[in-house]
Amino acid sequence: MASIIIGSQWGDEGKGKLVDILSQQFDVVARCQGGANAGHTIVVDGKKIALHLIPSGILNEKASCILGNGMVIHLPTFFKEVQGLQDKGINYKGRLFVSDRAHLVFDLHQMIDAMKEAELSNGTSNDSIGTTKRGIGPCYSSKASRGGLRVCDLYSPEHFRKTFTRLVENKHKRFGSFEYDVEAELKRYQEFAEMLKPFVIDSVYYLNQAFKDGKKVLIEGAQSTMLDLDFGCYPYVTSSASSVGGACTGLGISPNKVVTQIGVVKAYTTKVGSGPFPTEQNDHVGDSLRKAGSEFGTTTGRPRRIGWLDAVVLRYTSMINDFTRLNLTKLDVLSDFEEIKIGVDYKYKGETIKSFPASLETLAQCEVVYESFPGWKCDLSHVTEYEQLPIQAKNYIKRIEELVGVPIVYIGVGVERKNLIERKELI
């Protein structure tokens, strides 16, 4: 059976660390969607390891790691990460695999991404989405319009050439003249095809066979539920299904295979890119949290937007994913605050609304109802057991559990693997 780790906010909750730790208990770790727009940072023995495509479970040398069919893969980035693993002495050979059905992100897609963002930024209003410009949206667009290329197409040279040439021609029609050397790119991808061969598998068969063989599978979600193409703050979303449903379509497995849904929740809220952010703090609170939590993007390096924890968002994402347990991360970042707040409800035109609204115009007019909690004003990095936490921190955790209706089983109190409290009695 499978467990899935999903972000419950707008991303950057710290999913990679939990995947890294829990992967020690699993035989297979798989990513199901997204591309190099994801950024998972893991700290091992004081050293940071940043991954964008390869599952965080790669650090467990007993686990096989799969880039699933629902992903979009920029091969230069993939090979750069593979080289990074090799440089760090991490063994990946024979256990890192790429789905033959995954779509390919070309440099062309990245150029289009930047051009589209520039288009949206023009004029009196800036309507840009705030993408990472990694080509993810344009690649998924090529996929949906049936004009994309998959990993398996690398091994059909004539088909690859014909489809790729048509793809470039179509983009020239849409965006006008821009410099792009088709022949040089085709030659480069011929070389990539040979380099990639040892990694390519039929991932759908592989995973379903793993289930038949009784193996345990951990699914690593990328981005987050509030960035889901259907359930996030559209259009300020990613281009894939980043909630639990994406595991089935992005890996080719049936829903009944996923038995444990773990939601990862940062102890406050962060967001990258444009769009409404109800609990955002554009003041000394936001600045202090950003500095204490080192809130700068793994993929882009840009500063993240900061806000208090939003229980309306958490109830909404828990409803969609049916979380069975939660991982509360970065609790230690709140340690210097005298007062800590949780947004517990939204009011629209004076009335409390039942759930997170679809309309961004409605959301922008919502008033957040807050509850305040006293801070604990002490270092938590040495804490290894739940009972060792100060009563103020326990009360904060308890209130989150009450508001969301899901137990918090894992609590992060620092960046290292050892800084994770596990409440085993709740599992």
Side-chain angles (χ1 to χ4, degrees), residues 32 63 68 74 80 85 117 140 250 294 316 350-351 371:
C32 57
H74 184 242
K80 183 179 179 181
L85 295 177
E117 282 289 279
Y140 275 117
S294 300
Y316 173 67
E351 298 290 330
E371 289 183 6

Side-chain angles (χ1 to χ4, degrees), residues 197-420:
K197 264 185 181 178
F199 300 95
V200 179
I201 62 166
D202 179 345
S203 62
V204 177
Y205 177 81
Y206 183 98
L207 278 165
N208 282 282
Q209 191 61 43
F211 287 122
K212 284 185 178 180
D213 293 342
K215 292 184 177 179
K216 295 174 67 178
V217 176
L218 181 63
I219 303 167
E220 177 178 343
Q223 289 83 47
S224 231
T225 307
M226 293 307 295
L227 295 174
D228 185 279
L229 184 59
D230 288 290
F231 304 117
C233 294
Y234 188 89
Y236 302 102
V237 292
T238 192
S239 302
S240 60
S242 50
S243 54
V244 68
C248 301
T249 57
L251 293 174
I253 62 175
S254 64
N256 63 1
K257 297 290 195 303
V258 184
V259 296
T260 304
Q261 297 84 248
I262 305 172
V264 184
V265 183
K266 195 177 284 186
Y268 47 99
T269 310
T270 62
K271 189 178 190 297
V272 171
S274 306
F277 184 1
T279 65
E280 186 168 19
Q281 301 295 302
N282 288 315
D283 54 17
H284 69 281
V285 171
D287 292 340
S288 297
L289 279 170
R290 186 179 297 107
K291 183 178 179 181
S294 300
E295 294 296 350
F296 299 90
T298 304
T299 298
T300 62
R302 58 187 169 180
R304 295 169 183 148
R305 298 163 65 187
I306 308 289
W308 292 119
L309 189 70
D310 190 329
V312 180
V313 165
L314 296 184
R315 288 195 293 268
Y316 173 67
T317 58
S318 183
M319 175 176 65
I320 291 165
N321 295 297
D322 194 20
F323 292 137
T324 52
R325 62 186 78 156
L326 297 177
N327 169 205
L328 184 68
T329 66
K330 290 197 165 185
L331 186 65
D332 56 300
V333 174
L334 297 176
S335 293
D336 289 335
F337 286 83
E338 295 278 358
E339 180 187 38
I340 300 165
K341 294 183 179 181
I342 299 176
V344 296
D345 282 306
Y346 295 167
K347 282 192 174 182
Y348 177 66
K349 294 183 177 180
E351 298 290 330
T352 301
I353 59 176
K354 294 180 179 179
S355 185
F356 194 87
S359 166
L360 298 194
E361 290 187 5
T362 300
L363 183 61
Q365 297 176 52
C366 284
E367 174 192 351
V368 181
V369 179
Y370 288 101
E371 289 183 6
S372 295
F373 302 82
W376 40 92
K377 299 290 289 181
C378 64
D379 179 29
L380 301 182
S381 61
H382 65 284
V383 176
T384 57
E385 301 289 339
Y386 178 75
E387 293 306 319
Q388 297 171 355
L389 287 170
I391 187 64
Q392 297 92 334
K394 289 181 186 175
N395 288 339
Y396 185 68
I397 292 165
K398 182 180 179 183
R399 184 58 178 144
I400 297 169
E401 291 178 321
E402 291 171 348
L403 288 165
V404 185
V406 182
I408 294 174
V409 174
Y410 311 101
I411 303 163
V413 291
V415 297
E416 293 275 2
R417 281 174 171 172
K418 64 182 180 181
N419 300 132
L420 186 75

